[in-house]
Amino acid sequence: MVEERSAKRRLTAVPSAAPPDVGDLLGSVARGDEDAFGKLYDLVAPRVFGLVRRVLRDPAQAEEVAQEVLVEVWRMAARFDPARGSASSWILTIAHRRAVDRVRSEQAATSRSIVVGVAAVETPYDAVADEVQGRLERQQVRRCLEDLTELQKQAVTLAYYQGHSYPRVAELLGAPLPTIKTRMRDGLIRLRDCLTTEVTA
Amino acid sequence: MTDIHTLAGAYVLDAVDDIERASFDRHLRECAACRTEVDELQETAARLADATWSVPPPRLRENVLAEVARTRQLPPVAAPPVASPRRRAPRRWLLSAAASVVVAAAAAGTAVYVVQDQRVRDERAIAEAARSSEARVREILAAPDVQVREAAVTGGGRVTVASSRLHDAGVVVMAADSAPGGGQVYQLWTIRAGSDPKSEGALRVGQTATLSVVEGLPGASDVAVTVEPAGGSLQPTTTPVAQVPL
Ligand SMILES: [Zn+2]
């Protein structure tokens, strides 16, 4: 993703060597380069683990699923198609799908639906090993989320961070199904526009 | 479903069920506008992960690298299967068929895989199916090149095989009407030219249904089921009660 790369360059304080790029590393990984995979791991693992953990809300399970995801990245690396999007988006899409699959099967297995109050959506994130790049990205996403209407924001975050299906989101928010479907889409479109504007601004 | 295009947001957020996902995947192959939108929104959704950044425990790195060292990578997208003359034209159902091999919710709420309207009654098999790698099953069933084939089981029931070259794997689902008597069991096999049949697992005594993921399945010519002594045999000892040519 062009915006992401240019943002990265702008935000990194005079690097002595060019920071490794997720896309380049994934290309080497696709050719079986285990060293490149180690570097790729260091770049993406905190986001993969953080995302999976946020969705599953259980560190032990998150570790297990994050491991599956990262091994899957190794296994499937040659199938990544740069024409369809950035390497980090590809990796995080795999991570999100896996986490959601797990949380749904867990919910189903215990036959106990977890009702989470809308107020609980924003759980505090870990402040461990923070770094400037991550903090800026976080701030940007948070700022852009605040830019959405309340219903757009709830629809997007309940689905993404908690792994709820859109019928479940509709139920939680007491809104009609078609409305929720539409809010997810226009919410994401607005978020896309905000993130793009912020980077190029 | 009045306007399938509006599903793009829910699809990107993984807020759809497997059937909707399969039908939207099919829609994406026909609708360039949705394809572009989904690619872009997928980037946007991935940015939401920025807000969740969290350092994993150091052992995760060791575990992942150790597993990677012993995990075979998949080749780039496999070449399309070469059309070969067959004694019988295989039914190439593509996604509509995959969608009918659905993930359904049992009364207890446990996710189980059932084939169309077949009833999988064996409780233990259901639990087993739920445990078997769900993500992998979904991935195979949702593959654009998935091919589904079926054969009847002598004595009633069916064996269904969904196979994807893209994933170099398949899903075998068996649901027989009754279990073999006399302490015998069903055993699954894959048959490859030039080598002995390979066991893909024996069922337990009294078990009538099973679901399993078979890695490397597209390399096999047939999936067969025989009746064997409890615990299974090293090689088939009876004539197959079901055989699915691939
Ligand atoms: Zn469309």
Side-chain angles (χ1 to χ4, degrees), chain A residues 1 29 32 41-42 46 50-51 63 67 72 74-75 79 84-86 96-97 101 104 108 126 129 138 140 161 166 185 192, chain B residues 13-15 20-21 37 39-40 43-45 47-48 50 52-54 59 61 67 71-75 108-109 138-139 166:
Chain A
M1 190 172 155
V29 169
Y41 176 97
D42 296 334
L51 173 60
E63 209 178 311
Q67 180 166 340
E72 188 69 359
W74 162 260
R75 230 170 55 82
R79 307 270 164 104
R84 298 290 305 272
S86 72
H96 192 257
R97 182 85 51 90
D101 281 350
R104 298 240 178 101
D126 280 327
R138 268 202 290 280
Q140 193 196 8
Y161 293 130
Y166 75 88
R185 177 165 175 255
R192 175 197 67 192
Chain B
L13 292 167
D14 292 321
E20 288 166 315
R21 171 168 299 284
E37 183 171 293
D39 285 352
E40 282 182 16
E43 295 287 329
T44 305
R47 290 294 311 278
L48 289 167
D50 291 346
T52 66
W53 210 88
S54 169
R59 65 172 173 270
R61 191 177 202 277
E67 199 179 334
T71 301
R72 194 168 60 96
Q73 289 182 297
L74 293 180
R138 287 175 201 209
E139 191 176 75
L166 214 56

Short mmCIF file of all heavy atoms in Angstrom, two decimals, chain A residues 1 29 32 41-42 46 50-51 63 67 72 74-75 79 84-86 96-97 101 104 108 126 129 138 140 161 166 185 192, chain B residues 13-15 20-21 37 39-40 43-45 47-48 50 52-54 59 61 67 71-75 108-109 138-139 166:
data_model
loop_
_atom_site.label_atom_id
_atom_site.label_comp_id
_atom_site.label_asym_id
_atom_site.label_seq_id
_atom_site.Cartn_x
_atom_site.Cartn_y
_atom_site.Cartn_z
N MET A 1 0.84 -1.19 0.00
CA MET A 1 0.00 0.00 0.00
C MET A 1 0.87 1.24 0.00
O MET A 1 1.68 1.45 0.88
CB MET A 1 -0.87 -0.04 1.24
CG MET A 1 -1.94 1.00 1.24
SD MET A 1 -3.01 0.67 2.65
CE MET A 1 -3.65 2.30 2.92
N VAL A 29 10.07 -14.69 1.95
CA VAL A 29 9.47 -15.83 2.67
C VAL A 29 8.84 -16.80 1.67
O VAL A 29 8.97 -18.02 1.80
CB VAL A 29 8.42 -15.34 3.70
CG1 VAL A 29 7.61 -16.51 4.25
CG2 VAL A 29 9.11 -14.59 4.84
N GLY A 32 10.98 -19.41 0.51
CA GLY A 32 11.49 -20.35 1.51
C GLY A 32 12.57 -19.80 2.43
O GLY A 32 13.25 -20.56 3.11
N TYR A 41 8.31 -11.93 11.18
CA TYR A 41 7.67 -12.20 12.47
C TYR A 41 7.79 -10.97 13.39
O TYR A 41 6.82 -10.51 13.96
CB TYR A 41 8.31 -13.43 13.14
CG TYR A 41 7.73 -13.69 14.52
CD1 TYR A 41 6.72 -14.62 14.70
CD2 TYR A 41 8.18 -12.96 15.63
CE1 TYR A 41 6.17 -14.83 15.95
CE2 TYR A 41 7.63 -13.16 16.88
CZ TYR A 41 6.62 -14.10 17.04
OH TYR A 41 6.07 -14.28 18.28
N ASP A 42 9.01 -10.45 13.50
CA ASP A 42 9.23 -9.32 14.40
C ASP A 42 8.40 -8.11 14.01
O ASP A 42 7.94 -7.35 14.86
CB ASP A 42 10.72 -8.97 14.44
CG ASP A 42 11.55 -10.11 15.03
OD1 ASP A 42 10.98 -10.90 15.81
OD2 ASP A 42 12.74 -10.22 14.69
N PRO A 46 3.35 -8.47 16.78
CA PRO A 46 2.57 -7.72 17.76
C PRO A 46 1.16 -7.35 17.26
O PRO A 46 0.21 -7.34 18.02
CB PRO A 46 3.40 -6.45 18.00
CG PRO A 46 4.79 -6.84 17.64
CD PRO A 46 4.64 -7.80 16.50
N GLY A 50 -1.94 -9.04 18.93
CA GLY A 50 -2.84 -8.05 19.53
C GLY A 50 -4.25 -8.19 19.00
O GLY A 50 -5.23 -8.16 19.75
N LEU A 51 -4.37 -8.36 17.69
CA LEU A 51 -5.69 -8.47 17.07
C LEU A 51 -6.41 -9.74 17.53
O LEU A 51 -7.56 -9.70 17.95
CB LEU A 51 -5.55 -8.46 15.55
CG LEU A 51 -6.84 -8.73 14.77
CD1 LEU A 51 -7.90 -7.68 15.08
CD2 LEU A 51 -6.56 -8.77 13.27
N GLU A 63 -2.58 -16.95 21.93
CA GLU A 63 -1.25 -17.40 21.59
C GLU A 63 -1.32 -18.57 20.61
O GLU A 63 -0.59 -18.63 19.62
CB GLU A 63 -0.55 -17.83 22.88
CG GLU A 63 0.94 -17.67 22.83
CD GLU A 63 1.57 -18.08 24.15
OE1 GLU A 63 1.09 -17.61 25.21
OE2 GLU A 63 2.52 -18.86 24.11
N GLN A 67 -0.19 -18.38 16.68
CA GLN A 67 0.78 -19.32 16.14
C GLN A 67 0.27 -19.95 14.84
O GLN A 67 0.98 -20.00 13.84
CB GLN A 67 1.10 -20.41 17.17
CG GLN A 67 2.12 -21.41 16.65
CD GLN A 67 2.70 -22.29 17.74
OE1 GLN A 67 2.63 -21.96 18.92
NE2 GLN A 67 3.26 -23.42 17.36
N GLU A 72 0.59 -20.21 9.06
CA GLU A 72 -0.19 -20.15 7.83
C GLU A 72 0.41 -19.12 6.85
O GLU A 72 0.43 -19.33 5.65
CB GLU A 72 -1.65 -19.77 8.18
CG GLU A 72 -2.63 -19.83 7.03
CD GLU A 72 -2.94 -21.24 6.54
OE1 GLU A 72 -2.36 -22.20 7.08
OE2 GLU A 72 -3.74 -21.37 5.61
N TRP A 74 3.53 -18.38 6.59
CA TRP A 74 4.68 -19.08 6.00
C TRP A 74 4.21 -20.05 4.91
O TRP A 74 4.74 -20.07 3.81
CB TRP A 74 5.40 -19.84 7.12
CG TRP A 74 6.32 -20.93 6.67
CD1 TRP A 74 6.04 -22.28 6.65
CD2 TRP A 74 7.65 -20.81 6.15
NE1 TRP A 74 7.11 -22.98 6.17
CE2 TRP A 74 8.12 -22.12 5.85
CE3 TRP A 74 8.50 -19.72 5.91
CZ2 TRP A 74 9.39 -22.36 5.33
CZ3 TRP A 74 9.77 -19.96 5.39
CH2 TRP A 74 10.20 -21.27 5.11
N ARG A 75 3.18 -20.82 5.25
CA ARG A 75 2.71 -21.86 4.33
C ARG A 75 2.15 -21.28 3.03
O ARG A 75 2.34 -21.80 1.96
CB ARG A 75 1.60 -22.67 5.03
CG ARG A 75 1.77 -24.18 4.98
CD ARG A 75 0.77 -24.87 5.91
NE ARG A 75 -0.60 -24.48 5.64
CZ ARG A 75 -1.35 -25.02 4.67
NH1 ARG A 75 -0.89 -25.98 3.93
NH2 ARG A 75 -2.58 -24.59 4.47
N ARG A 79 1.18 -17.63 -2.23
CA ARG A 79 -0.15 -17.35 -2.79
C ARG A 79 -0.56 -15.88 -2.64
O ARG A 79 -1.63 -15.49 -3.07
CB ARG A 79 -1.22 -18.22 -2.09
CG ARG A 79 -0.91 -19.70 -2.09
CD ARG A 79 -1.49 -20.37 -3.31
NE ARG A 79 -0.91 -21.68 -3.53
CZ ARG A 79 -1.52 -22.83 -3.27
NH1 ARG A 79 -2.74 -22.81 -2.76
NH2 ARG A 79 -0.93 -23.98 -3.51
N ARG A 84 -3.69 -7.42 -5.25
CA ARG A 84 -4.95 -7.31 -4.51
C ARG A 84 -4.84 -6.45 -3.25
O ARG A 84 -5.84 -6.11 -2.64
CB ARG A 84 -5.45 -8.71 -4.09
CG ARG A 84 -5.78 -9.65 -5.22
CD ARG A 84 -7.02 -9.23 -6.00
NE ARG A 84 -8.21 -9.04 -5.17
CZ ARG A 84 -9.06 -10.00 -4.86
NH1 ARG A 84 -8.85 -11.22 -5.26
NH2 ARG A 84 -10.13 -9.74 -4.14
N GLY A 85 -3.62 -6.11 -2.83
CA GLY A 85 -3.50 -5.29 -1.62
C GLY A 85 -2.15 -5.47 -0.98
O GLY A 85 -1.28 -6.17 -1.50
N SER A 86 -1.97 -4.80 0.19
CA SER A 86 -0.66 -4.83 0.85
C SER A 86 -0.45 -6.16 1.58
O SER A 86 -1.40 -6.86 1.92
CB SER A 86 -0.56 -3.68 1.84
OG SER A 86 -1.38 -3.94 2.96
N HIS A 96 -7.56 -12.15 11.30
CA HIS A 96 -8.91 -11.82 11.73
C HIS A 96 -9.87 -12.97 11.46
O HIS A 96 -10.67 -13.34 12.32
CB HIS A 96 -9.40 -10.54 11.05
CG HIS A 96 -10.65 -10.00 11.67
ND1 HIS A 96 -11.89 -10.16 11.08
CD2 HIS A 96 -10.88 -9.35 12.83
CE1 HIS A 96 -12.80 -9.60 11.86
NE2 HIS A 96 -12.20 -9.10 12.92
N ARG A 97 -9.75 -13.54 10.28
CA ARG A 97 -10.63 -14.65 9.92
C ARG A 97 -10.48 -15.80 10.91
O ARG A 97 -11.44 -16.37 11.41
CB ARG A 97 -10.27 -15.11 8.50
CG ARG A 97 -11.12 -16.24 7.94
CD ARG A 97 -12.40 -15.76 7.29
NE ARG A 97 -12.23 -14.70 6.33
CZ ARG A 97 -12.00 -14.88 5.03
NH1 ARG A 97 -11.92 -16.08 4.54
NH2 ARG A 97 -11.89 -13.86 4.22
N ASP A 101 -13.28 -17.21 13.44
CA ASP A 101 -13.69 -18.62 13.39
C ASP A 101 -13.62 -19.23 14.78
O ASP A 101 -14.51 -19.95 15.20
CB ASP A 101 -12.77 -19.42 12.45
CG ASP A 101 -13.13 -19.19 10.98
OD1 ASP A 101 -14.19 -18.59 10.72
OD2 ASP A 101 -12.35 -19.61 10.12
N ARG A 104 -16.29 -17.80 17.21
CA ARG A 104 -17.64 -18.29 16.91
C ARG A 104 -17.79 -19.75 17.33
O ARG A 104 -18.81 -20.13 17.88
CB ARG A 104 -17.93 -18.18 15.41
CG ARG A 104 -17.91 -16.76 14.93
CD ARG A 104 -19.23 -16.32 14.33
NE ARG A 104 -19.12 -14.93 13.94
CZ ARG A 104 -18.92 -14.53 12.69
NH1 ARG A 104 -18.90 -15.40 11.71
NH2 ARG A 104 -18.80 -13.25 12.43
N ALA A 108 -20.29 -21.12 20.10
CA ALA A 108 -21.23 -22.17 19.77
C ALA A 108 -21.03 -23.35 20.71
O ALA A 108 -21.98 -23.92 21.21
CB ALA A 108 -21.04 -22.61 18.33
N ASP A 126 -2.58 -2.79 25.51
CA ASP A 126 -1.34 -2.93 26.26
C ASP A 126 -0.39 -1.78 25.98
O ASP A 126 -0.19 -1.41 24.84
CB ASP A 126 -0.63 -4.22 25.86
CG ASP A 126 -1.24 -5.40 26.56
OD1 ASP A 126 -1.70 -5.24 27.70
OD2 ASP A 126 -1.25 -6.46 25.97
N ALA A 129 6.04 -2.29 25.62
CA ALA A 129 6.94 -2.17 24.46
C ALA A 129 6.36 -1.28 23.37
O ALA A 129 6.36 -1.62 22.21
CB ALA A 129 7.26 -3.55 23.90
N ARG A 138 -1.99 3.99 15.92
CA ARG A 138 -3.14 3.81 16.81
C ARG A 138 -3.94 5.09 16.92
O ARG A 138 -5.15 5.09 16.83
CB ARG A 138 -2.65 3.44 18.20
CG ARG A 138 -2.55 1.97 18.43
CD ARG A 138 -2.60 1.67 19.90
NE ARG A 138 -1.40 2.10 20.60
CZ ARG A 138 -0.27 1.40 20.61
NH1 ARG A 138 -0.20 0.27 19.93
NH2 ARG A 138 0.77 1.81 21.27
N GLN A 140 -4.11 7.51 14.91
CA GLN A 140 -4.79 7.82 13.66
C GLN A 140 -6.08 7.01 13.52
O GLN A 140 -7.13 7.56 13.19
CB GLN A 140 -3.85 7.54 12.49
CG GLN A 140 -4.35 8.13 11.20
CD GLN A 140 -3.64 7.55 10.00
OE1 GLN A 140 -2.89 6.59 10.11
NE2 GLN A 140 -3.91 8.11 8.85
N TYR A 161 -13.70 -6.07 16.30
CA TYR A 161 -12.96 -6.36 17.52
C TYR A 161 -13.55 -7.49 18.35
O TYR A 161 -12.90 -8.06 19.20
CB TYR A 161 -12.85 -5.10 18.39
CG TYR A 161 -11.99 -4.02 17.78
CD1 TYR A 161 -12.45 -2.72 17.69
CD2 TYR A 161 -10.72 -4.31 17.28
CE1 TYR A 161 -11.67 -1.71 17.13
CE2 TYR A 161 -9.94 -3.32 16.72
CZ TYR A 161 -10.42 -2.02 16.65
OH TYR A 161 -9.64 -1.05 16.10
N TYR A 166 -23.09 -10.01 11.59
CA TYR A 166 -23.92 -8.81 11.50
C TYR A 166 -25.34 -8.99 12.04
O TYR A 166 -25.89 -8.07 12.62
CB TYR A 166 -23.89 -8.19 10.08
CG TYR A 166 -24.67 -8.89 9.01
CD1 TYR A 166 -26.01 -8.60 8.79
CD2 TYR A 166 -24.08 -9.85 8.22
CE1 TYR A 166 -26.73 -9.26 7.81
CE2 TYR A 166 -24.79 -10.51 7.24
CZ TYR A 166 -26.12 -10.22 7.05
OH TYR A 166 -26.83 -10.87 6.09
N ARG A 185 -20.77 -1.08 5.85
CA ARG A 185 -20.14 -0.71 4.59
C ARG A 185 -19.82 0.79 4.55
O ARG A 185 -18.68 1.18 4.30
CB ARG A 185 -21.06 -1.10 3.42
CG ARG A 185 -20.50 -0.68 2.09
CD ARG A 185 -21.21 -1.38 0.95
NE ARG A 185 -20.78 -0.90 -0.35
CZ ARG A 185 -21.52 -0.09 -1.11
NH1 ARG A 185 -22.72 0.30 -0.71
NH2 ARG A 185 -21.06 0.30 -2.28
N ARG A 192 -11.99 4.56 5.53
CA ARG A 192 -10.99 4.52 4.46
C ARG A 192 -10.63 5.94 4.03
O ARG A 192 -9.45 6.30 3.94
CB ARG A 192 -11.56 3.75 3.26
CG ARG A 192 -10.66 3.75 2.03
CD ARG A 192 -11.41 3.34 0.77
NE ARG A 192 -12.40 4.34 0.41
CZ ARG A 192 -13.37 4.14 -0.51
NH1 ARG A 192 -13.50 2.99 -1.10
NH2 ARG A 192 -14.23 5.11 -0.78
N LEU B 13 -15.51 -7.46 7.23
CA LEU B 13 -15.39 -7.54 8.69
C LEU B 13 -15.54 -8.97 9.21
O LEU B 13 -15.58 -9.20 10.41
CB LEU B 13 -16.44 -6.63 9.35
CG LEU B 13 -16.24 -5.13 9.14
CD1 LEU B 13 -17.49 -4.35 9.56
CD2 LEU B 13 -15.02 -4.62 9.88
N ASP B 14 -15.65 -9.93 8.30
CA ASP B 14 -15.89 -11.34 8.68
C ASP B 14 -17.16 -11.47 9.53
O ASP B 14 -17.20 -12.28 10.46
CB ASP B 14 -14.68 -11.93 9.45
CG ASP B 14 -13.46 -12.07 8.56
OD1 ASP B 14 -13.63 -12.44 7.38
OD2 ASP B 14 -12.34 -11.79 9.03
N ALA B 15 -18.16 -10.67 9.20
CA ALA B 15 -19.39 -10.70 9.98
C ALA B 15 -20.49 -11.49 9.26
O ALA B 15 -21.66 -11.38 9.60
CB ALA B 15 -19.87 -9.26 10.26
N GLU B 20 -23.12 -17.17 3.28
CA GLU B 20 -23.06 -15.82 2.70
C GLU B 20 -21.67 -15.56 2.13
O GLU B 20 -21.52 -14.94 1.08
CB GLU B 20 -23.37 -14.77 3.77
CG GLU B 20 -24.82 -14.75 4.18
CD GLU B 20 -25.04 -13.94 5.46
OE1 GLU B 20 -24.25 -14.11 6.41
OE2 GLU B 20 -25.99 -13.17 5.49
N ARG B 21 -20.66 -16.03 2.85
CA ARG B 21 -19.30 -15.83 2.37
C ARG B 21 -19.11 -16.51 1.01
O ARG B 21 -18.58 -15.93 0.08
CB ARG B 21 -18.29 -16.40 3.38
CG ARG B 21 -16.85 -16.42 2.86
CD ARG B 21 -15.86 -16.71 3.97
NE ARG B 21 -15.92 -15.68 5.00
CZ ARG B 21 -15.40 -14.47 4.88
NH1 ARG B 21 -14.75 -14.13 3.79
NH2 ARG B 21 -15.51 -13.60 5.85
N GLU B 37 -13.84 -2.60 -4.38
CA GLU B 37 -14.26 -2.08 -3.08
C GLU B 37 -13.75 -2.98 -1.95
O GLU B 37 -13.24 -2.51 -0.94
CB GLU B 37 -15.79 -1.98 -3.03
CG GLU B 37 -16.28 -1.38 -1.73
CD GLU B 37 -17.77 -1.07 -1.77
OE1 GLU B 37 -18.15 -0.18 -2.56
OE2 GLU B 37 -18.53 -1.72 -1.04
N ASP B 39 -11.19 -5.03 -1.95
CA ASP B 39 -9.74 -4.90 -1.79
C ASP B 39 -9.40 -3.66 -0.97
O ASP B 39 -8.56 -3.71 -0.07
CB ASP B 39 -9.05 -4.82 -3.16
CG ASP B 39 -9.00 -6.19 -3.85
OD1 ASP B 39 -9.35 -7.19 -3.19
OD2 ASP B 39 -8.61 -6.26 -5.03
N GLU B 40 -10.05 -2.56 -1.28
CA GLU B 40 -9.77 -1.32 -0.56
C GLU B 40 -10.22 -1.39 0.89
O GLU B 40 -9.50 -1.00 1.80
CB GLU B 40 -10.49 -0.15 -1.23
CG GLU B 40 -9.78 0.33 -2.48
CD GLU B 40 -10.49 1.53 -3.10
OE1 GLU B 40 -11.32 2.16 -2.42
OE2 GLU B 40 -10.21 1.81 -4.27
N GLU B 43 -8.02 -3.33 3.21
CA GLU B 43 -6.89 -2.53 3.70
C GLU B 43 -7.33 -1.70 4.89
O GLU B 43 -6.62 -1.59 5.89
CB GLU B 43 -6.38 -1.58 2.61
CG GLU B 43 -5.77 -2.24 1.39
CD GLU B 43 -4.40 -2.85 1.65
OE1 GLU B 43 -3.66 -2.32 2.50
OE2 GLU B 43 -4.09 -3.87 1.02
N THR B 44 -8.50 -1.10 4.76
CA THR B 44 -9.02 -0.25 5.83
C THR B 44 -9.26 -1.06 7.09
O THR B 44 -8.85 -0.67 8.18
CB THR B 44 -10.35 0.41 5.38
OG1 THR B 44 -10.11 1.10 4.16
CG2 THR B 44 -10.86 1.38 6.43
N ALA B 45 -9.92 -2.21 6.93
CA ALA B 45 -10.22 -3.06 8.09
C ALA B 45 -8.93 -3.49 8.78
O ALA B 45 -8.84 -3.49 10.00
CB ALA B 45 -11.03 -4.28 7.67
N ARG B 47 -6.29 -1.88 9.03
CA ARG B 47 -5.76 -0.77 9.83
C ARG B 47 -6.36 -0.74 11.23
O ARG B 47 -5.77 -0.23 12.17
CB ARG B 47 -6.02 0.58 9.12
CG ARG B 47 -5.19 0.81 7.86
CD ARG B 47 -3.69 0.93 8.16
NE ARG B 47 -3.38 1.86 9.24
CZ ARG B 47 -3.29 3.19 9.09
NH1 ARG B 47 -3.44 3.74 7.91
NH2 ARG B 47 -3.01 3.96 10.13
N LEU B 48 -7.57 -1.31 11.36
CA LEU B 48 -8.20 -1.37 12.69
C LEU B 48 -7.35 -2.19 13.65
O LEU B 48 -7.42 -2.03 14.86
CB LEU B 48 -9.60 -1.96 12.60
CG LEU B 48 -10.67 -1.08 11.95
CD1 LEU B 48 -11.92 -1.88 11.64
CD2 LEU B 48 -11.00 0.11 12.85
N ASP B 50 -4.27 -1.88 13.99
CA ASP B 50 -3.24 -1.00 14.55
C ASP B 50 -3.55 -0.67 16.01
O ASP B 50 -2.65 -0.52 16.82
CB ASP B 50 -3.16 0.33 13.77
CG ASP B 50 -2.61 0.14 12.37
OD1 ASP B 50 -2.06 -0.94 12.09
OD2 ASP B 50 -2.74 1.07 11.56
N THR B 52 -4.73 -2.48 18.22
CA THR B 52 -4.71 -3.62 19.13
C THR B 52 -3.30 -4.11 19.44
O THR B 52 -3.13 -5.09 20.14
CB THR B 52 -5.49 -4.82 18.53
OG1 THR B 52 -4.79 -5.27 17.37
CG2 THR B 52 -6.90 -4.44 18.17
N TRP B 53 -2.31 -3.43 18.89
CA TRP B 53 -0.90 -3.79 19.04
C TRP B 53 -0.56 -4.31 20.44
O TRP B 53 -0.81 -3.65 21.43
CB TRP B 53 -0.12 -2.51 18.75
CG TRP B 53 1.23 -2.68 18.17
CD1 TRP B 53 1.53 -2.79 16.85
CD2 TRP B 53 2.45 -2.72 18.88
NE1 TRP B 53 2.88 -2.91 16.70
CE2 TRP B 53 3.47 -2.87 17.93
CE3 TRP B 53 2.79 -2.66 20.24
CZ2 TRP B 53 4.81 -2.95 18.28
CZ3 TRP B 53 4.12 -2.74 20.59
CH2 TRP B 53 5.11 -2.88 19.61
N SER B 54 -0.02 -5.49 20.52
CA SER B 54 0.32 -6.07 21.82
C SER B 54 1.46 -7.06 21.65
O SER B 54 1.41 -7.92 20.78
CB SER B 54 -0.93 -6.76 22.37
OG SER B 54 -0.63 -7.54 23.47
N ARG B 59 8.07 -16.83 23.96
CA ARG B 59 8.02 -18.24 23.54
C ARG B 59 7.23 -18.42 22.25
O ARG B 59 7.42 -19.39 21.54
CB ARG B 59 7.45 -19.13 24.65
CG ARG B 59 6.00 -18.83 24.96
CD ARG B 59 5.38 -19.83 25.92
NE ARG B 59 4.04 -19.35 26.27
CZ ARG B 59 3.78 -18.55 27.30
NH1 ARG B 59 4.76 -18.16 28.08
NH2 ARG B 59 2.55 -18.12 27.52
N ARG B 61 7.52 -16.72 19.58
CA ARG B 61 8.48 -16.65 18.48
C ARG B 61 9.19 -17.99 18.28
O ARG B 61 9.27 -18.51 17.18
CB ARG B 61 9.51 -15.55 18.75
CG ARG B 61 10.37 -15.22 17.55
CD ARG B 61 11.32 -14.07 17.87
NE ARG B 61 11.78 -13.41 16.67
CZ ARG B 61 12.80 -13.83 15.91
NH1 ARG B 61 13.44 -14.92 16.25
NH2 ARG B 61 13.15 -13.16 14.84
N GLU B 67 7.91 -24.48 14.35
CA GLU B 67 6.90 -25.12 13.51
C GLU B 67 7.14 -24.81 12.04
O GLU B 67 6.95 -25.66 11.17
CB GLU B 67 5.48 -24.67 13.95
CG GLU B 67 4.42 -25.63 13.43
CD GLU B 67 3.00 -25.25 13.85
OE1 GLU B 67 2.84 -24.57 14.90
OE2 GLU B 67 2.07 -25.62 13.12
N THR B 71 7.43 -27.12 8.49
CA THR B 71 6.19 -27.00 7.71
C THR B 71 6.50 -26.74 6.24
O THR B 71 7.23 -25.82 5.91
CB THR B 71 5.31 -25.85 8.26
OG1 THR B 71 5.01 -26.13 9.62
CG2 THR B 71 4.01 -25.71 7.46
N ARG B 72 5.92 -27.57 5.40
CA ARG B 72 6.11 -27.46 3.95
C ARG B 72 5.29 -26.28 3.44
O ARG B 72 4.14 -26.10 3.81
CB ARG B 72 5.63 -28.75 3.30
CG ARG B 72 6.04 -28.94 1.86
CD ARG B 72 5.75 -30.38 1.42
NE ARG B 72 4.33 -30.72 1.53
CZ ARG B 72 3.47 -30.66 0.50
NH1 ARG B 72 3.88 -30.29 -0.68
NH2 ARG B 72 2.21 -30.99 0.67
N GLN B 73 5.90 -25.48 2.55
CA GLN B 73 5.17 -24.34 1.98
C GLN B 73 4.37 -24.79 0.77
O GLN B 73 4.76 -25.71 0.06
CB GLN B 73 6.15 -23.25 1.55
CG GLN B 73 6.80 -22.54 2.72
CD GLN B 73 7.72 -21.43 2.26
OE1 GLN B 73 8.71 -21.69 1.59
NE2 GLN B 73 7.40 -20.20 2.60
N LEU B 74 3.27 -24.10 0.54
CA LEU B 74 2.48 -24.40 -0.66
C LEU B 74 3.12 -23.71 -1.85
O LEU B 74 3.66 -22.62 -1.73
CB LEU B 74 1.04 -23.91 -0.49
CG LEU B 74 0.21 -24.62 0.57
CD1 LEU B 74 -1.19 -24.03 0.63
CD2 LEU B 74 0.12 -26.12 0.27
N PRO B 75 3.04 -24.33 -3.02
CA PRO B 75 3.56 -23.68 -4.23
C PRO B 75 2.67 -22.51 -4.59
O PRO B 75 1.55 -22.42 -4.09
CB PRO B 75 3.46 -24.78 -5.28
CG PRO B 75 2.40 -25.70 -4.79
CD PRO B 75 2.44 -25.63 -3.29
N ALA B 108 -27.31 -28.46 20.16
CA ALA B 108 -26.47 -28.07 21.28
C ALA B 108 -25.66 -26.82 20.98
O ALA B 108 -25.07 -26.22 21.84
CB ALA B 108 -25.52 -29.20 21.65
N GLY B 109 -25.66 -26.42 19.73
CA GLY B 109 -24.94 -25.23 19.36
C GLY B 109 -23.54 -25.53 18.88
O GLY B 109 -22.79 -24.65 18.51
N ARG B 138 -13.21 -24.95 6.10
CA ARG B 138 -13.87 -23.82 5.43
C ARG B 138 -13.06 -23.33 4.25
O ARG B 138 -13.60 -23.01 3.20
CB ARG B 138 -14.02 -22.66 6.40
CG ARG B 138 -15.08 -22.94 7.42
CD ARG B 138 -15.12 -21.83 8.44
NE ARG B 138 -15.75 -22.37 9.63
CZ ARG B 138 -16.44 -21.65 10.48
NH1 ARG B 138 -16.59 -20.37 10.28
NH2 ARG B 138 -16.98 -22.20 11.52
N GLU B 139 -11.77 -23.28 4.46
CA GLU B 139 -10.86 -22.81 3.43
C GLU B 139 -10.98 -23.70 2.18
O GLU B 139 -11.07 -23.22 1.06
CB GLU B 139 -9.45 -22.92 4.01
CG GLU B 139 -8.34 -22.29 3.27
CD GLU B 139 -7.06 -22.44 4.09
OE1 GLU B 139 -6.48 -23.55 4.15
OE2 GLU B 139 -6.65 -21.44 4.70
N LEU B 166 -5.98 -26.17 -5.51
CA LEU B 166 -5.40 -24.93 -5.02
C LEU B 166 -4.83 -25.12 -3.61
O LEU B 166 -3.77 -24.63 -3.27
CB LEU B 166 -6.51 -23.88 -4.99
CG LEU B 166 -6.15 -22.46 -5.30
CD1 LEU B 166 -5.47 -22.35 -6.64
CD2 LEU B 166 -7.43 -21.62 -5.30
#
